[in-house]
Amino acid sequence: MAQAVKELWPETKLAIGPSIEDGFYYDFDKKEPFTDDDLKKIEEVMRRIIKENLPFTRQDLSKKEAIALFTKSGEAYKIELIKDIPEEQVSIYKTGSAFLDLCRGPHVESTGKIKAFKLLSVAGAYWRGLETNPMLQRIYGTCFNSQKELDEYLKNLEEAKKRDHRKLGKELGFFDIYHDEAGAGLIFYHPKGALLRMIIEDYLKKEHLKRGYQLVMTPHIMQKNLWQTSGHYDYYKENMYTFFIPDEKTPSSEGQEFVLKPMNCPGHILIYKSTIRSFRDLPLRYFELGTVYRHEKAGVLHGLLRVRGFTQDDAHIFCTPENLKSEIKAIIDFVIEAMRVFGFGEMDIELSTRPEKSIGSDDDWARATQALEDSLKEKGLSYTVHPGEGAFYGPKIDIKLKDVLKRKWQCATIQCDFALPKRFNLGYVDTDGKEKQPIMLHRVILGSLERFIGALLEHHGAVLPLWLSPIQVALIPIKDSTHDYAQKIKAELEKEEIRVKIDQRNETLNKRIREAEVEKTPYILVVGDKESEANSVSVRKRGKGDTGSLSLAEFIKKIKEEIEGKK
Ligand code: ZN
């Protein structure tokens, strides 16, 4: 692409052009903006270059030689890049004899190896991401081994736009963000979204209690010294909202500093510390739907995915080294079960190990990393190891779920921690009567509920499984004379905890059915005189249309079975 751009507009300066998750980009310094037509022209030249099957050849140069080379061609950005490379040698790649670029490599052998590609968009980008630097033009593109794969990717991109949770969330009345009035990155759940959130929270509470967790609740504000002990005040301050509360006794002082909690861990630790613990008490599993606030730069905020206030399904497990593996395995089982009931199939698992700078003994690290890895192996799960990418205080597992469009969403994390038990001086009395330090596991299953709901809406395209649907049944009486019968059905369904809405507006039957369908209601029950006399309902199922009539008792039995099976 860079070769094509230079061929078409020789005065253009090249900046930087890496490969990224789904393709590549290149930043160009060019006066006139690239138009859609320009992208087509570039693609044409690219196709010709590919046809020419030009070989890519690597050449290793000293930095001095490389700078001389790019000075000659007037590529100032390349010179800046070379100067920042710590090594003495740099590599360049030549494409035939027509083009050369600074590149670490490796490359395919020749341009002919490049198969299906497409240029996607142009965006502004500051040189090196700094606002004080010149604004460049970034062209994004992607490429695949076959046209079929490219077509599938492009189709998914289109579909992703339609499924954008920000769009769906607003259209279907789930949530909104009031940037101007309330501030960016703060979520307002409208009634339907709040109902969905409640359904998810109820599920989580029940499942945690079933699995031996204890529910705890901790305050939203806690004073500064707690966050000094935890280390957040010194290492995480730029992300924390802090404020002063006036001191009544000494009104002249600025008062006492408080922190709006960015994490739930210190609160749970205080509960652990409230009494002497013995090995018999462990493992202790504290669970909280903990709402936290973290300051994020305005530029990175995105719908429900990156926000400033969110709720985690957060738990902290205090255990002995002997407990560690069985605890981790139980968490993995929990994650797999949760993914199933929420309708996600594929997962992507990463194990991050000890970084260079870390605290904790070699033994601690070895044992914890082994426990994480053995758990994954024993569960028969495939994973990738990310060496050195653990936190400084312990190794971790990240589980990302993959949606129907093959995109990854961060959800569960299992993090071992040797630091906080030490900072808070946690202990338990072991079998030998000696005081020992428990291991602490931080873990979330769905992660941030906000982000998870975003993923859920996009994965299902807002066609939520029945058990999660805020409205499960829409009741539509055909005419006024059947209103009473409809009310009776509503009461019976509600008695069975089925979420039902009645639509007795003075609109045509078709219009009311269509609206319930647009709202992705799983079941629509149409009732007229015939149904009223027979104590039955005429059932329309989402995606299937009219499925005939059932007695009310039969319908209730059927829908309850589906809900209980989390379908
Ligand atoms: Zn934690």
Side-chain angles (χ1 to χ4, degrees), residues 213-242:
Y213 287 81
Q214 302 180 75
L215 193 61
V216 295
M217 293 179 187
T218 61
H220 288 239
I221 61 170
M222 290 172 242
Q223 60 194 15
K224 167 188 167 183
N225 52 345
L226 182 71
W227 303 98
Q228 283 174 316
T229 308
S230 71
H232 291 104
Y233 194 85
D234 293 321
Y235 298 109
Y236 198 66
K237 193 154 186 233
E238 62 199 52
N239 293 89
M240 301 197 321
Y241 294 104
T242 61

Side-chain angles (χ1 to χ4, degrees), residues 98-216:
F99 179 75
L100 67 84
D101 200 355
L102 177 71
C103 187
R104 187 185 285 133
H107 278 210
V108 289
E109 287 155 41
S110 63
T111 57
K113 297 275 179 202
I114 298 165
K115 303 296 177 201
F117 73 92
K118 172 125 184 90
L119 302 186
L120 300 170
S121 59
V122 186
Y126 292 106
W127 167 236
R128 303 196 138 177
L130 282 179
E131 282 172 45
T132 46
N133 281 344
M135 172 73 94
L136 307 171
Q137 296 187 69
R138 175 172 297 177
I139 301 182
Y140 284 99
T142 190
C143 90
F144 286 87
N145 266 319
S146 68
Q147 189 63 39
K148 191 170 160 259
E149 286 167 279
L150 174 63
D151 289 345
E152 194 190 330
Y153 176 77
L154 295 176
K155 209 179 103 210
N156 283 351
L157 267 190
E158 272 313 301
E159 188 58 31
K161 271 185 215 155
K162 275 189 243 158
R163 286 168 181 245
D164 190 321
H165 71 277
R166 292 168 298 179
K167 184 171 154 275
L168 289 177
K170 213 180 165 91
E171 278 171 11
L172 296 170
F174 278 94
F175 74 94
D176 214 338
I177 297 166
Y178 302 105
H179 300 90
D180 296 338
E181 302 90 330
L186 300 167
I187 307 300
F188 287 74
Y189 287 92
H190 288 210
K192 237 198 244 174
L195 201 48
L196 173 63
R197 173 85 181 254
M198 185 200 81
I199 296 160
I200 296 171
E201 290 188 357
D202 284 352
Y203 163 81
L204 287 167
K205 282 183 196 160
K206 259 191 219 151
E207 285 300 313
H208 278 84
L209 292 176
K210 225 162 80 181
R211 292 163 197 267
Y213 287 81
Q214 302 180 75
L215 193 61
V216 295

Side-chain angles (χ1 to χ4, degrees), residues 532-549:
S532 170
E533 274 158 37
N535 204 28
S536 69
V537 289
S538 173
V539 184
R540 297 180 70 92
K541 191 172 173 161
R542 185 174 61 192
K544 293 223 165 74
D546 193 346
T547 61
S549 76

Side-chain angles (χ1 to χ4, degrees), residues 166 179 184-186 296-303 306-308:
R166 292 168 298 179
H179 300 90
L186 300 167
E296 299 267 8
K297 291 209 174 78
V300 303
L301 297 173
H302 180 93
R306 285 289 284 271
V307 291
R308 287 177 176 161

Side-chain angles (χ1 to χ4, degrees), residues 495-511:
K495 212 164 66 195
E496 302 290 342
E497 295 188 3
I498 294 161
R499 296 181 292 271
V500 52
K501 170 183 131 174
I502 195 160
D503 184 356
Q504 47 194 27
R505 287 174 306 158
N506 200 12
E507 299 282 359
T508 64
L509 183 59
N510 278 341
K511 185 169 183 211

